[in-house]
Amino acid sequence: MRRLLTLRLAEAAVVLVGVLTITFFIARLSGDPVHLLAGSEATAADIESLRKAYGFDQPLLVQYARFLADVVQGRLGESLRYRQPALDLVIERLPATVQLAAAALAVSVASGIPLGVFAATRPHSLWDHGSMVLALIGQTVPAFWLGIMLILLFPLRLGWFYTSGYGTLGHLVLPAITLGVFHTARLARLTRGAMLDVLTRDYVRTAKAKGLTYWTVVRHHALRNSLLPLLSILGIEVGTLMGGSVVTETIFAWPGIGRLAVESVYARDYPVVQAVVLAAAVTFILSHLAVDVLYGVVDPRIRYD
């Protein structure tokens, strides 16, 4: 296990440097933030003064080297828009995004896995085809359209839940469904495929021959052995939910890091954009590391020593 952790941490360091490098240079392709900061009535001297104050007058490679040195020391710069440390802004918004991602993941797991098992235990039946059509619809519906339709139906027509905001369970329901539907559909399809493969294995037939009930075989033998490929997907899903909540947070005015990222891109607030991307990358890496550890828990045959 120690060897695995060392290897994963070394890989994580390389990935983070790559992500930060790409983010640094792409963010600067969006334009010069000094003109936005100075305003339309600023003189050339004012703009030049601001550029020097923020270090934008230095060559790009010098800015990049200084940026990496600051990151190593735990400093991600100060927001050009809010005049606060960028890391503090991300940490302040992070709980809202974590809450939304956790709720969406719960929706996906609670509905996607049972739907996949339901379809796999009735292969090629009307129920199977109907479940997969439902999953396909869930994967093809855009989140922005689904979010708007849910707002029109529930808060505006029925008076249920809220159109926007944050703080109660009623605020969380519609954003969690909007964000979780796509992942529910993908999880259902993957669960069905994994279950169909496992249900044809010899040990499943042996379990049936011993006289175990069908659902006991499904629950204790088939589903458990189908979890390994699903764990890999769930690790990716966690990172995707954290980094892919931009549209949902914008539709429902959810105060998370996705909405903060959108606002910061429009304002060319480089430090905040970089801090949000770093937070998303770290989430991806940690979720993959957790999946590697869980492999050994689900399947005791897997050893890393």
Side-chain angles (χ1 to χ4, degrees):
M1 183 59 73
R2 183 179 299 175
R3 182 182 173 189
L4 171 71
L5 291 176
T6 304
L7 180 63
R8 289 291 183 267
L9 289 176
E11 292 174 352
V14 175
V15 170
L16 286 178
V17 171
V19 168
L20 289 174
T21 301
I22 293 171
T23 307
F24 177 87
F25 287 105
I26 287 183
R28 277 146 185 83
L29 292 177
S30 63
D32 189 351
V34 174
H35 290 281
L36 289 178
L37 289 171
S40 58
E41 297 182 358
T43 64
D46 295 333
I47 292 174
E48 190 60 28
S49 175
L50 268 177
R51 186 170 282 116
K52 286 183 179 178
Y54 285 102
F56 293 134
D57 60 324
Q58 299 293 317
L60 197 56
L61 289 179
V62 174
Q63 295 181 42
Y64 173 65
R66 187 177 297 166
F67 165 67
L68 285 185
D70 286 343
V71 171
V72 170
Q73 299 174 55
R75 299 196 301 265
L76 296 178
E78 184 177 277
S79 166
L80 305 179
R81 182 184 182 193
Y82 296 100
R83 302 289 195 274
Q84 297 178 31
L87 185 59
D88 290 353
L89 283 171
V90 172
I91 291 174
E92 181 183 325
R93 301 287 190 97
L94 195 57
T97 297
V98 170
Q99 186 183 36
L100 176 58
L105 184 65
V107 169
S108 303
V109 172
S111 54
I113 291 180
L115 185 62
V117 172
F118 178 78
T121 51
R122 297 163 178 79
H124 312 299
S125 67
L126 185 62
W127 292 107
D128 180 22
H129 294 306
S131 301
M132 290 303 100
V133 168
L134 197 62
L136 186 61
I137 292 173
Q139 277 190 292
T140 53
V141 171
F144 68 86
W145 182 86
L146 178 61
I148 292 171
M149 291 301 106
L150 289 177
I151 289 174
L152 290 175
L153 176 61
F154 289 102
L156 298 185
R157 177 63 68 87
L158 302 175
W160 298 352
F161 311 120
Y162 299 94
T163 57
S164 61
Y166 169 74
T168 68
L169 185 61
H171 290 101
L172 181 61
V173 172
L174 297 185
I177 293 174
T178 302
L179 185 59
V181 161
F182 176 84
H183 303 278
T184 297
R186 183 158 62 182
L187 204 54
R189 293 174 67 83
L190 290 170
T191 302
R192 177 185 179 273
M195 285 288 294
L196 285 177
D197 178 56
V198 171
L199 285 171
T200 60
R201 299 292 178 89
D202 290 340
Y203 59 83
V204 173
R205 282 196 289 270
T206 302
K208 291 178 182 176
K210 287 181 177 178
L212 297 176
T213 64
Y214 180 72
W215 285 108
T216 301
V217 173
V218 168
R219 192 168 56 249
H220 292 291
H221 296 276
L223 182 58
R224 183 181 179 87
N225 287 288
S226 302
L227 288 179
L228 276 180
L230 296 181
L231 274 179
S232 301
I233 297 302
L234 284 175
I236 298 173
E237 297 289 348
V238 171
T240 305
L241 287 168
M242 287 290 295
S245 59
V246 173
V247 174
T248 304
E249 290 186 1
T250 303
I251 292 172
F252 291 95
W254 191 264
I257 60 172
R259 189 175 166 207
L260 177 65
V262 172
E263 295 170 351
S264 301
V265 167
Y266 281 125
R268 296 174 188 163
D269 196 345
Y270 301 157
V272 176
V273 173
Q274 291 160 177
V276 170
V277 173
L278 179 63
V282 169
T283 304
F284 256 101
I285 291 168
L286 291 178
S287 61
H288 280 254
L289 184 60
V291 168
D292 285 338
V293 174
L294 285 174
Y295 275 155
V297 176
V298 174
D299 189 347
R301 294 171 298 177
I302 297 178
R303 291 286 182 270
Y304 297 108
D305 297 330

